[in-house]
Amino acid sequence: MPEDKSIQELGLDEYKFGFHDPEDYFFKTPRKGIDPEIVAMISKHKNEPEWMLEYRLKALESFLSKPTPQWGGDLSDLDFEEIYYYIRPMENQGRSWDDVPDDIKNTFEKLGIPQAERESLAGVGAQYESEVVYHSLKEEWEKSGVVFMDMDSGLREHEDLVREYFGTIIPADDNKFSALNSAVWSGGSFVYVPPGVHIDIPLQAYFRINAENMGQFERTLIIADEGSYVHYIEGCTAPTYTTNSLHSAVVELIAKPNARIRYSTIQNWSHNTYNLVTKRAVAEENATVEWVDGNLGSKLTMKYPAVYLTGEGARGEILSVAYAGDGQHQDAGGKVVHAAPNTSSLITSKSISRGTGRSTYRGLLKVHEGAVGAKSRVECDALLLDENARTDTYPYIEIEEKKVNTEHEATVSKVGEDQLFYLMSRGLSEEAAMAMVVNGFIEPIAKELPLEYAIELNRLIQLEMEGSVG
Amino acid sequence: MLKIDNLHVEIEGGEILKGLGLEVGKGEIHAIMGPNGSGKSTLSNVLMGHPRYDVTDGTIEFMGEDVMELEADERARLGMFLAFQYPSEVPGVSVANFLRTAVNSVREKELAPMEMYRLIQEKMKIMQMDPKFAERYLNEGFSGGEKKRNEILQMLMLEPKLAIMDETDSGLDIDALQVVSKGVNELRGPEFSAVIITHYQRILRYIEPDHVHVMLDGRIVTSGGKDLALQLEDKGYDWVRQEFGSAAQS
């Protein structure tokens, strides 16, 4: 892609990770679009058990029968017939770095993956196209029975576990995009943490989309058994293309009694990607689930991580930050359902909008009858970087129980002339002053991330903002 | 050092400064006193380059350079500093982080982290600030006195050639006033000039000015030595209005 290179050399590339490798694929569906034949082809290629094929085909029916949602963002330009639904980049999965092909390695190097590895990051599962190509897991975890692999391997090696839980938190027919994912899913992570096992170092996966018009439909299932703890981190950067890409993931988390799962995501999709993700967790008795969610890039993101608090004393936290620049719409938020007594939840949502960017907070807080003593706090803060930027808040609250304590707070602030003047009077350029205000604004989220991710989040936002001021 | 000539400034169509002139030499401390509404804060904001004000006529030169077209950050890098009367809050940004960024913005070469740390510690000690203060978010939830101390702390860190102090003394108790004055006196020397803008004579007991100017209705109406400040304290601003009010309106 010489023209791509020259753009980079000139430093004109708006999207810094917009490099991509020549497309050299092992397997790709013979045509765009989706029908039972394509779905069967994917399943056959993966040598899946019969029940998974049936599951996929049933999901496809559901997908085809559901209308495209009319609420939220504008999906009118999304053409499902213009997408390749499955591409597999290489024959076998790499277990060590040396096994990874060079062009793929180059991509990872540009993203800093090998460094991260050297810095003793624990297990790296990196999704390149539809398959995980690089996966390593520390031996001591394997000894303690921890499973961390791509979902396809999970299905092969732990079929019983997968069959028991797959699609139980997010049924295929939950919504149009969960149905689509269920029909064509590929890759993603499968994690099982045995009772009482604490994984101190976060499990990390890195995702990239690299083929034009290719949807990425990863599927992640994490099961934290009783009293266990795991922190799973997923970061995404996608290169820039001129036609629309679709990313539609499904992530299911199950926290058994007294378990704790923290799931952190920083997503930075190129500006023409539709990012339509369904994430949901169940927290059983005294379990805790935390979603930390950073949304950058994409044309439209619709994502509302959910926690269902089904056991007494369960806790859910959703922390999200979104940046909407010119032409982008970040429609994000969170959903908490209190279905048991003495459950608690906290939703903190922060959004930044600039230019013609639009950020929407869409949240649901539901307290079922009998969830006595439920406590919930929702806080959403929007920061507008200029006059045209737009933010909306849609907090839906349904409370069926009297003995509860809920709070909701929403603020909208603008980066003020006086604030910028103050920082600039100390020698900061307008851009640096703006970045400082923005970094301060997202600090409550950034401090919940491991240091290198917090730095990356700040850096990515600064990249997005570069050249946007003045 | 600083030369202001025939400065006319408007905000939202109303003229606030009406031909103000002032010269501040190297190493000099000037006090500008005046009643509320005389244009003191406008002057300090315009000197630093606040975008909200329209300069309709006149010139501002700093070290021989016309700064009129320069942004606030460019003026800061030349060595100008404004201690704000009402500094803005910046949630999520610690004082230490802000100081680091500011110091490295005005310096040609970045300061090594350890040196920076020592410098912050040293200057905070002068300002009698708790080290924990550095971890608080900039001006968020600060008391009036803490904000003013923090302004002077920034001044000590940035070591400007010219400091403009916009009513830094207002709302300070006597202890805080002493600490703030100590900070200013710390920088006092042949390479440091200051313009102290104030309503009261009080701060001038601790920072002795070389020149005192009285401002009324957008102009400097009279100038003198430090005795003028005492005279003003004695007779009040009504005396100024009676004495110079007609001149100011002519």
Side-chain angles (χ1 to χ4, degrees):
Chain A
M1 287 283 159
E3 69 274 18
D4 217 35
K5 200 182 164 204
S6 64
I7 286 171
Q8 274 185 37
E9 280 166 0
L10 291 167
L12 299 174
D13 50 334
E14 201 185 3
Y15 187 83
K16 302 287 168 171
F17 291 149
F19 47 80
H20 58 95
D21 300 310
E23 294 179 15
D24 178 16
Y25 298 106
F26 178 70
F27 177 84
K28 185 173 178 175
T29 47
R31 56 190 153 84
K32 292 176 181 176
I34 183 172
D35 52 43
E37 198 189 345
I38 291 281
V39 169
M41 210 179 279
I42 294 170
S43 187
K44 183 164 183 281
H45 181 78
K46 291 170 178 288
N47 286 319
E48 286 178 349
E50 190 63 24
W51 66 268
M52 183 53 81
L53 173 62
E54 279 165 22
Y55 184 87
R56 287 179 183 272
L57 290 170
K58 211 172 150 226
L60 176 64
E61 273 175 39
S62 172
F63 166 72
L64 295 172
S65 70
K66 282 181 190 290
T68 301
Q70 297 300 308
W71 53 273
D74 178 7
L75 294 166
S76 56
D77 285 341
L78 178 57
D79 187 349
F80 293 108
E81 295 304 312
E82 278 301 310
I83 291 165
Y84 285 106
Y85 285 89
Y86 180 62
I87 296 174
R88 183 181 163 131
M90 56 184 288
E91 191 166 9
N92 292 308
Q93 279 188 233
R95 184 95 184 148
S96 78
W97 186 244
D98 291 340
D99 300 334
V100 178
D102 282 345
D103 61 337
I104 289 176
K105 217 188 263 185
N106 288 340
T107 303
F108 284 135
E109 260 162 31
K110 288 175 196 166
L111 292 171
I113 288 284
Q115 283 86 336
E117 173 71 7
R118 278 199 288 276
E119 283 157 24
S120 92
L121 296 179
V124 175
Q127 175 152 350
Y128 189 91
E129 305 304 345
S130 304
E131 290 290 331
V132 172
V133 294
Y134 176 51
H135 224 147
S136 70
L137 181 59
K138 285 216 164 157
E139 278 178 9
E140 59 262 36
W141 296 347
E142 285 176 346
K143 276 183 212 148
S144 60
V146 172
V147 177
F148 175 33
M149 54 181 59
D150 70 282
M151 196 65 217
D152 297 277
S153 303
L155 178 59
R156 274 193 302 275
E157 294 173 31
H158 302 274
E159 188 180 337
D160 292 347
L161 263 180
V162 172
R163 194 168 186 175
E164 187 180 348
Y165 292 105
F166 193 95
T168 57
I169 312 300
I170 304 172
D173 63 359
D174 185 79
N175 64 73
K176 188 169 180 77
F177 296 100
S178 65
L180 177 63
N181 176 282
S182 299
V184 299
W185 71 267
S186 191
S189 293
F190 176 66
V191 176
Y192 172 77
V193 187
V197 173
H198 282 236
I199 306 177
D200 299 324
I201 305 167
L203 299 178
Q204 317 212 4
Y206 227 101
F207 295 80
R208 262 179 77 90
I209 290 179
N210 197 44
E212 197 167 1
N213 284 344
M214 200 213 65
Q216 186 157 347
F217 305 95
E218 88 267 13
R219 180 87 189 200
T220 290
L221 173 62
I222 298 176
I223 303 155
D225 217 326
E226 286 195 33
S228 68
Y229 169 72
V230 62
H231 184 184
Y232 180 88
I233 297 185
E234 160 203 281
C236 300
T237 53
T240 307
Y241 285 106
T242 48
T243 51
N244 298 322
S245 287
L246 170 62
H247 172 252
S248 189
V250 166
V251 178
E252 299 176 282
L253 310 183
I254 299 152
K256 296 281 192 181
N258 299 305
R260 180 174 162 211
I261 302 176
R262 168 172 278 217
Y263 191 108
S264 302
T265 315
I266 299 171
Q267 292 196 313
N268 182 33
W269 301 104
S270 65
H271 292 189
N272 53 10
T273 301
Y274 287 90
N275 184 33
L276 310 167
V277 174
T278 310
K279 287 182 162 177
R280 193 175 301 161
V282 164
E284 298 182 3
E285 199 180 336
N286 291 318
T288 298
V289 171
E290 297 150 301
W291 296 104
V292 180
D293 209 51
N295 298 297
L296 286 95
S298 85
K299 176 178 186 169
L300 168 67
T301 288
M302 288 172 69
K303 181 158 67 163
Y304 324 97
V307 186
Y308 284 56
L309 303 164
T310 60
E312 181 158 5
R315 175 163 180 82
E317 275 192 36
I318 302 164
L319 286 166
S320 71
V321 59
Y323 179 91
D326 268 332
Q328 293 178 299
H329 184 185
Q330 301 284 1
D331 198 298
K335 199 162 128 181
V336 174
V337 177
H338 291 257
N342 301 316
T343 45
S344 59
S345 64
L346 173 67
I347 299 179
T348 308
S349 167
K350 291 191 170 258
S351 71
I352 301 151
S353 319
R354 177 183 69 77
T356 59
R358 177 180 171 196
S359 64
T360 304
Y361 169 79
R362 197 180 297 277
L364 171 70
L365 169 65
K366 181 164 179 138
V367 182
H368 283 281
E369 198 181 338
V372 178
K375 275 185 213 156
S376 176
R377 179 171 166 77
V378 178
E379 193 185 327
C380 37
D381 303 319
L383 181 69
L384 304 176
L385 298 192
D386 52 44
E387 294 300 317
N388 299 325
R390 174 175 168 192
T391 182
D392 317 280
T393 305
Y394 302 101
Y396 300 98
I397 298 173
E398 297 169 22
I399 294 173
E400 295 165 355
E401 172 59 53
K402 284 199 184 80
K403 291 172 186 161
V404 295
N405 183 344
T406 62
E407 292 169 60
H408 177 86
E409 194 184 315
T411 67
V412 177
S413 50
K414 283 182 184 164
V415 177
E417 200 176 43
D418 285 325
Q419 208 175 20
L420 283 182
F421 175 60
Y422 182 59
L423 297 176
M424 287 174 72
S425 79
R426 301 303 185 243
L428 280 73
S429 66
E430 187 173 0
E431 212 165 283
M434 193 76 101
M436 181 169 265
V437 174
V438 169
N439 284 345
F441 179 74
I442 62 166
E443 167 69 13
I445 310 275
K447 76 176 183 204
E448 294 299 324
L449 292 168
L451 186 64
E452 71 272 23
Y453 277 80
I455 290 167
E456 177 169 313
L457 179 64
N458 283 344
R459 200 171 58 86
L460 287 174
I461 288 181
Q462 271 170 31
L463 282 175
E464 290 283 308
M465 286 174 59
E466 253 172 40
S468 68
V469 178
Chain B
M1 177 68 53
L2 177 71
K3 197 177 164 197
I4 307 169
D5 190 38
N6 189 34
L7 190 64
H8 288 260
V9 174
E10 287 183 7
I11 185 164
E12 286 151 13
E15 189 168 55
I16 310 287
L17 298 186
K18 303 168 181 174
L20 184 138
L22 177 70
E23 263 189 66
V24 178
K26 220 172 165 185
E28 292 176 0
I29 306 273
H30 288 237
I32 297 180
M33 303 182 69
N36 293 331
S38 56
K40 301 191 302 286
S41 281
T42 297
L43 175 62
S44 47
N45 279 313
V46 167
L47 284 176
M48 204 63 217
H50 197 297
R52 201 182 296 144
Y53 298 86
D54 292 327
V55 178
T56 52
D57 201 5
T59 56
I60 302 171
E61 279 179 20
F62 178 64
M63 301 204 310
E65 188 175 340
D66 179 0
V67 297
M68 216 61 116
E69 297 300 317
L70 299 184
E71 300 275 354
D73 57 322
E74 297 169 302
R75 297 186 198 202
R77 286 195 286 270
L78 284 179
M80 295 175 80
F81 180 88
L82 170 61
F84 283 67
Q85 186 180 4
Y86 303 110
S88 295
E89 293 181 5
V90 189
V93 175
S94 70
V95 170
N97 179 11
F98 175 58
L99 290 173
R100 277 194 294 270
T101 312
V103 168
N104 284 330
S105 298
V106 299
R107 285 174 62 96
E108 273 177 27
K109 223 181 125 194
E110 285 201 3
L111 208 58
M114 251 346 263
E115 274 180 75
M116 183 73 78
Y117 176 79
R118 274 195 219 105
L119 195 66
I120 294 175
Q121 297 298 313
E122 178 200 320
K123 303 301 183 194
M124 284 182 67
K125 214 170 155 191
I126 295 170
M127 295 310 293
Q128 298 176 17
M129 294 162 107
D130 190 310
K132 281 186 203 132
F133 190 85
E135 295 315 314
R136 287 176 67 184
Y137 292 152
L138 187 58
N139 292 320
E140 198 181 47
F142 285 18
S143 69
E146 284 171 331
K147 283 184 183 169
K148 298 297 169 70
R149 275 184 207 215
N150 186 38
E151 290 296 291
I152 303 305
L153 173 66
Q154 291 167 43
M155 187 178 80
L156 292 179
M157 292 292 296
L158 294 171
E159 295 183 334
K161 297 187 180 78
L162 171 72
I164 302 138
M165 308 184 59
D166 187 7
E167 305 210 17
T168 300
D169 54 333
S170 64
L172 290 187
D173 62 30
I174 202 78
D175 293 334
L177 187 63
Q178 280 179 354
V179 175
V180 162
S181 304
K182 186 180 156 204
V184 178
N185 288 326
E186 192 76 24
L187 282 182
R188 198 158 185 175
E191 299 298 322
F192 175 74
S193 310
V195 176
I196 297 168
I197 291 171
T198 178
H199 191 92
Y200 305 102
Q201 187 267 342
R202 205 170 58 136
I203 191 171
L204 304 178
R205 279 182 222 152
Y206 303 99
I207 309 170
E208 199 174 294
D210 301 304
H211 300 274
V212 174
H213 310 274
V214 178
M215 204 170 158
L216 191 67
D217 197 27
R219 280 176 214 176
I220 285 172
V221 290
T222 184
S223 300
K226 63 179 176 189
D227 295 346
L228 181 58
L230 296 171
Q231 206 179 348
L232 209 57
E233 181 89 336
D234 229 27
K235 297 184 179 171
Y237 285 115
D238 281 343
W239 166 74
V240 178
R241 279 193 195 92
Q242 278 166 17
E243 201 77 3
F244 303 102
S246 57
Q249 275 152 29
S250 68

